[in-house]
Amino acid sequence: MKFRAMAAAALAATLGLTAPASAQDPAKGGDLVVAMAVTLPSVDPHASTGVATRYVSAHMFEGVVTRGETGDIIPQLAASYEMSDDARTYTFTLRDGVRFHDGSTLDAGDVVASLQRMKDAGVDQGVMALVENLETVDDLTVRVTMSEPHPTFLDSLSSPRVIVGIMPEEIAALPKEEFKPVGTGPFEFVEWVPDSHIRLARFEAYSQQAEATPRDGFGGKRTVYVDTVTFRTVPEAGAQIAGLLTGDYHIADQVSPQDVPRLEASDEVSAVKVLPWYMVHQTFNLTKPLGADENFRKAVQVGLDLEVLLDFATGGNYVLGHGWQYDGFPYYSDAGIETYNLGDVDKAKELLAQSAYDGEEIEILTISDEAALRDYAIALADQLGKLGIKTRINAQNAATWSALRVERESWTIIIGGFGMAPSIGPFGMLRHFSGDGSLQGVTFPEIEDAAHRVRTGLTFEERKKAFEDYQAGVLGKAISIRAGAAGIFIGVRDEVKNFEPGRVIRAWDIWLAP
């Protein structure tokens, strides 16, 4: 078995890690089977931030712009784009002759309707928050006008965290419950059996970008060699490993570190280590009495030994880090580092005594089909117990976790992972702790102001200072604690050629050896 360790220290490493390309000539045909640990909550690209939705929607839907391998903004459905000098108007010229899966041809009306849908009902409406007007200039030209200068609009619009996929105008106008997965991407929808699998087929009329590179992050020319790709829901780690070894699955998206030695004994499967993959965080529910108590939050923040927690959760596949950007990234900041990984049990107990905590049991909400997040919750409960805090773990699948996260009825601490957002710059992180949909459920004027300045600052220096203020506010108030960054292992059978790990399992530009 070939074990390939790929450590990431730059943006390119978190968006797409380059593995050696196969020298074998590409071969067409076959069904590529991908085992996903998480449940697919929706096939609507506007409706979910979940990794499974991203996997699937990146194959079926395209945006006006997207992100390349190193995080650069690149055109996708747009042939070109232009920002006005005052950063209030964006003009997009669309590629001519692009076809939807239903046979219709893309025009400006489809783009306007899709962007309006994202603004009105998207899961991340912050992308479109400053959009004042959307208009068709002609059949292939769209003009977007902002309510105020918005120099970072393209950063938000191109973010693959939530793919602002373009769909036919008629589908964009449908109620969300009547949504039909029709896009312009290289694969088209075949069938979806919830909790089992979703199957996509090569879109024979796909309109490639002739001038683009074969594969560039979420974009590029994107050549499809396989006939179909099947994403199967396989939450059990043992089942993923067994399927890899028997050939039932070609790729498994999350191999447990404990299972890597078993794969090493095989001559047919490779393991790819990707680190960092996501930021492990624990965030407080400020709509609950104890969550709203800053002394309680700071008692937890001060008392934890985060290295012990991460080591238990990841089997050693982690890196420490305090802030909402990775070290070495342009917007990285030391702001709030004085709050990080203190492990001061005595101080924690002192703060706890000053809080409203009275021995009651609090709920920790985590994701059952994310092994690292589930195990982190177990270790967290143990450490909180040593501080004198009683806990109960509520581990749910990703879809249920997402619903409970929004309801905020029972949990006081939620465990999650920020995967895509920190990897593509600071803008995706803003929605987590600011705005009406903030994870903690309560907003603070100074954090809202900082988030606004990140989005609207006309210079990099202004935006970076604003992000430092945003990060300092979140950490200083102990709204959320970033434990560090966890890595993953991706299992890949050797008949899969030209595979490159990235923020999604990409089925384009790879093929199956005959």
Side-chain angles (χ1 to χ4, degrees):
M1 211 295 287
K2 302 177 295 298
F3 176 77
R4 302 193 296 259
M6 298 181 180
L11 184 56
T14 57
L15 280 175
L17 297 176
T18 302
S22 169
Q24 182 179 344
D25 291 336
K28 275 201 168 186
D31 177 35
L32 178 72
V33 183
V34 179
M36 299 191 303
V38 294
T39 304
L40 177 64
S42 174
V43 295
D44 182 347
H46 298 177
S48 173
T49 63
V51 64
T53 296
R54 190 180 306 127
Y55 277 1
V56 173
S57 62
H59 291 77
M60 292 192 293
F61 291 93
E62 296 178 305
V64 178
V65 288
T66 189
R67 293 294 181 98
E69 205 75 41
T70 58
D72 296 331
I73 299 166
I74 59 173
Q76 194 164 51
L77 292 177
S80 63
Y81 51 85
E82 182 179 359
M83 181 183 75
S84 64
D85 291 340
D86 63 1
R88 292 192 61 165
T89 303
Y90 291 81
T91 303
F92 301 93
T93 300
L94 305 178
R95 292 163 49 210
D96 193 8
V98 175
R99 303 292 292 275
F100 283 108
H101 300 153
D102 64 2
S104 62
T105 302
L106 171 77
D107 64 23
D110 301 311
V111 173
V112 167
S114 299
L115 297 184
Q116 188 65 52
R117 181 180 190 265
M118 185 68 190
K119 179 176 174 62
D120 293 341
V123 67
D124 193 358
Q125 295 177 36
V127 171
M128 308 293 290
L130 298 182
V131 172
E132 185 174 61
N133 190 47
L134 295 159
E135 60 180 314
T136 60
V137 177
D138 57 42
D139 286 349
L140 292 176
T141 309
V142 174
R143 181 180 295 130
V144 183
T145 306
M146 304 295 160
S147 59
E148 59 184 274
H150 190 8
T152 60
F153 176 59
L154 291 177
D155 294 273
S156 298
L157 188 65
S158 64
S159 169
R161 179 180 174 275
V162 175
I163 295 174
V164 187
I166 305 303
M167 59 196 70
E169 183 175 358
E170 296 77 10
I171 290 178
L174 292 173
K176 286 196 295 184
E177 60 271 16
E178 298 178 24
F179 171 77
K180 298 176 182 178
V182 177
T184 60
F187 288 85
E188 60 182 324
F189 178 81
V190 176
E191 66 173 356
W192 179 28
V193 180
D195 299 320
S196 173
H197 69 275
I198 183 168
R199 181 170 291 113
L200 313 178
R202 179 172 60 240
F203 179 39
E204 299 293 355
Y206 177 59
S207 303
Q208 288 184 323
Q209 292 178 272
E211 73 285 356
T213 57
R215 175 171 47 198
D216 192 0
F218 286 80
K221 191 175 179 180
R222 306 213 288 181
T223 301
V224 177
Y225 296 104
V226 298
D227 293 331
T228 56
V229 55
T230 302
F231 294 96
R232 293 200 174 276
T233 303
V234 187
E236 299 84 8
Q240 284 206 7
I241 297 301
L244 278 172
L245 294 174
T246 61
D248 290 336
Y249 312 135
H250 296 105
I251 299 172
D253 69 341
Q254 292 189 36
V255 171
S256 169
Q258 291 81 6
D259 289 321
V260 169
R262 185 177 174 191
L263 292 184
E264 288 179 336
S266 167
D267 293 327
E268 299 178 332
V269 184
S270 297
V272 179
K273 180 180 181 180
V274 189
L275 176 68
W277 182 250
Y278 57 70
M279 291 180 174
V280 179
H281 70 91
Q282 54 186 77
T283 300
F284 294 91
N285 179 359
L286 271 65
T287 68
K288 303 283 284 183
L290 280 177
D293 188 324
E294 189 166 328
N295 281 327
F296 177 79
R297 300 196 306 269
K298 288 189 173 180
V300 175
Q301 182 187 55
V302 166
L304 298 180
D305 185 331
L306 298 172
E307 189 160 12
V308 169
L309 295 177
L310 283 172
D311 188 59
F312 178 83
T314 68
N317 191 13
Y318 70 93
V319 289
L320 293 172
H322 77 289
W324 304 120
Q325 290 286 276
Y326 293 118
D327 193 0
F329 284 26
Y331 283 85
Y332 173 82
S333 170
D334 282 338
I337 197 170
E338 69 278 359
T339 69
Y340 184 66
N341 197 29
L342 301 178
D344 190 337
V345 173
D346 292 337
K347 180 63 176 177
K349 289 182 176 179
E350 178 184 328
L351 287 166
L352 191 63
Q354 297 170 18
S355 75
Y357 183 69
D358 194 29
E360 62 268 43
E361 184 179 74
I362 67 167
E363 181 177 297
I364 300 172
L365 177 63
T366 191
I367 304 177
S368 60
D369 43 14
E370 290 266 9
L373 301 183
R374 180 195 65 221
D375 292 347
Y376 184 91
I378 294 170
L380 175 63
D382 178 68
Q383 285 202 19
L384 291 180
K386 293 174 182 177
L387 298 180
I389 300 172
K390 298 177 182 177
T391 59
R392 177 175 66 86
I393 295 174
N394 182 8
Q396 299 287 345
N397 64 38
T400 304
W401 177 91
S402 294
L404 294 175
R405 176 195 65 188
V406 174
E407 291 171 5
R408 300 193 187 92
E409 289 296 324
S410 59
W411 59 271
T412 300
I413 298 174
I414 191 169
I415 309 300
F418 298 140
M420 183 61 68
S423 304
I424 53 177
F427 310 103
M429 291 303 304
L430 300 180
R431 71 173 295 275
H432 291 299
F433 308 118
S434 67
D436 293 338
S438 68
L439 191 54
Q440 73 272 11
V442 173
T443 59
F444 296 87
E446 60 270 40
I447 294 176
E448 296 299 309
D449 174 70
H452 181 74
R453 288 186 285 117
V454 175
R455 295 187 178 101
T456 59
L458 292 178
T459 67
F460 168 77
E461 289 75 19
E462 289 174 320
R463 295 193 293 270
K464 182 169 183 178
K465 175 59 170 64
F467 189 72
E468 288 179 349
D469 294 342
Y470 176 81
Q471 178 170 295
V474 174
L475 298 179
K477 293 181 179 298
I479 293 169
S480 182
I481 301 165
R482 176 194 162 187
I488 63 166
F489 291 93
I490 301 174
V492 185
R493 286 192 60 83
D494 287 353
E495 61 260 38
V496 179
K497 303 302 179 181
N498 205 37
F499 173 78
E500 289 184 359
R503 294 306 313 187
V504 299
I505 302 295
R506 294 171 287 184
W508 58 87
D509 287 297
I510 67 175
W511 59 91
L512 298 174

